Amino acid sequence: MPTLGVNIDHVATIRQARQTVEPDPVAAAVLAELGGADGITVHLREDRRHIQDRDVRVLRQTVRTHLNLEMAATEEMVNIALEIQPDYVTLVPERREEVTTEGGLNIVGQQSWLTEVVQTLEAAKIPVSLFIDADSAQIEASATVGATFIELHTGRYAEATTEAVQAEELALLDQGCQQARALGLRVNAGHGLTYWNTYPVACLAGMEELNIGHTIISRAVLVGLERAVRDMKGVIWGRHGAIESQG
Ligand code: PXP
């Protein structure tokens, strides 16, 4: 089954609401790891609306699993990644006015720039993941620019309002995963995954890591982060009863 990368951006969002020092995403990362997180994911946005440069620096020193740095494919962010040396980088599209990352990155439309970015990072031994829709042309372009991973955008699957549409979206994720693996890419997935819709994605053949944030931090507000992470690990492993039985 895939590993779990816990996205802790929302912890920093609460802190930034008061421009103070609590809650500290560094403490959240420790608790997430104690709960069984296999990796910690943070998105350093250009507008620094939640995660700050200091967070990424301290997390690099304290994370015991692996650190996935989500960022835009800009020169500023590439330089920060080269300095910090996360275990891998996920390149995401960024628009200032968005509430969260909306669509996948357009690889087809910026192949030469992305080739340069991927080469620079991979030459520094930082594997690169590209956050894309499960679209055949984008997957092919991801292999062409030399990425190690793709992260399939699960937003459309998560937002499906009927079982039929959800099944169609899951089939597209499955096809995308198989196409990518045939091209030699490793495959992660994320966005909009919850305690109720994650298991079918976790079961897709060849899926390596799921990056999940909102649903885990939402549950953590009520039951604590360690338990929220443990519950999600239970979902990924098909132990649905884990959610009810850990009282
Ligand atoms: N993967 C990527 C690339 C993302 O940008 C996000 C949101 O920050 C996530 C996964 C996690 O999404 P969610 O918070 O909906 O679980």
Side-chain angles (χ1 to χ4, degrees), residues 7 9 70 90 92 100-101 131 151 190-193 211-214:
N7 182 313
D9 292 349
E70 283 181 16
T90 302
V92 298
T100 180
T101 315
F131 182 55
E151 178 174 330
H191 210 281
L193 295 177
N211 282 307
I212 306 180
H214 181 84

Side-chain angles (χ1 to χ4, degrees), residues 7 9 41-53 56 68-78 80 89-107 110 113-114 130-132 153 191:
N7 182 313
D9 292 349
T41 298
V42 290
H43 183 176
L44 185 65
R45 293 185 66 100
E46 289 181 274
D47 61 12
R48 308 298 198 272
R49 74 166 70 148
H50 40 57
I51 294 293
Q52 305 296 305
D53 297 59
V56 189
N68 167 23
L69 177 62
E70 283 181 16
M71 59 183 223
T74 63
E75 227 170 277
E76 181 204 7
M77 288 298 157
V78 169
I80 290 172
V89 154
T90 302
L91 297 179
V92 298
E94 232 178 72
R95 287 195 304 115
R96 278 177 199 278
E97 62 276 23
E98 70 192 359
V99 176
T100 180
T101 315
E102 285 166 356
L105 192 62
N106 180 3
I107 315 299
Q110 41 180 343
W113 169 238
L114 288 175
L130 302 174
F131 182 55
I132 59 168
H153 194 315
H191 210 281

Side-chain angles (χ1 to χ4, degrees), residues 58-246:
V58 180
L59 285 167
R60 174 66 295 178
Q61 304 293 319
T62 55
V63 164
R64 300 263 69 90
T65 53
H66 61 255
L67 181 64
N68 167 23
L69 177 62
E70 283 181 16
M71 59 183 223
T74 63
E75 227 170 277
E76 181 204 7
M77 288 298 157
V78 169
N79 287 333
I80 290 172
L82 291 173
E83 183 204 323
I84 287 173
Q85 293 276 318
D87 295 291
Y88 71 96
V89 154
T90 302
L91 297 179
V92 298
E94 232 178 72
R95 287 195 304 115
R96 278 177 199 278
E97 62 276 23
E98 70 192 359
V99 176
T100 180
T101 315
E102 285 166 356
L105 192 62
N106 180 3
I107 315 299
V108 175
Q110 41 180 343
Q111 283 199 36
S112 59
W113 169 238
L114 288 175
T115 301
E116 206 178 304
V117 169
V118 170
Q119 275 175 2
T120 305
L121 291 167
E122 299 246 356
K125 300 202 166 20
I126 305 169
V128 177
S129 178
L130 302 174
F131 182 55
I132 59 168
D133 294 322
D135 172 274
S136 162
Q138 299 294 350
I139 293 168
E140 217 163 280
S142 299
T144 306
V145 304
T148 297
F149 295 90
I150 57 166
E151 178 174 330
L152 289 173
H153 194 315
T154 49
R156 287 222 309 266
Y157 161 81
E159 281 158 21
T161 50
T162 66
E163 276 184 22
V165 174
Q166 195 178 43
E168 270 170 41
E169 293 295 337
L170 186 65
L172 288 174
L173 291 169
D174 188 25
Q175 273 168 34
C177 186
Q178 300 324 315
Q179 182 194 350
R181 286 175 57 81
L183 289 165
L185 290 159
R186 297 169 67 180
V187 182
N188 302 332
H191 210 281
L193 295 177
T194 68
Y195 291 89
W196 302 276
N197 67 17
T198 293
Y199 184 62
V201 178
C203 289
L204 296 179
M207 189 56 69
E208 283 201 36
E209 180 151 273
L210 301 179
N211 282 307
I212 306 180
H214 181 84
T215 202
I216 294 176
I217 304 303
S218 301
R219 179 174 292 232
V221 170
L222 304 176
V223 305
L225 187 52
E226 249 186 276
R227 175 170 157 188
V229 173
R230 213 164 45 234
D231 286 352
M232 183 55 84
K233 288 286 287 188
V235 167
I236 290 173
W237 282 90
R239 295 192 293 265
H240 300 277
I243 292 179
E244 282 79 35
S245 66
Q246 288 171 5

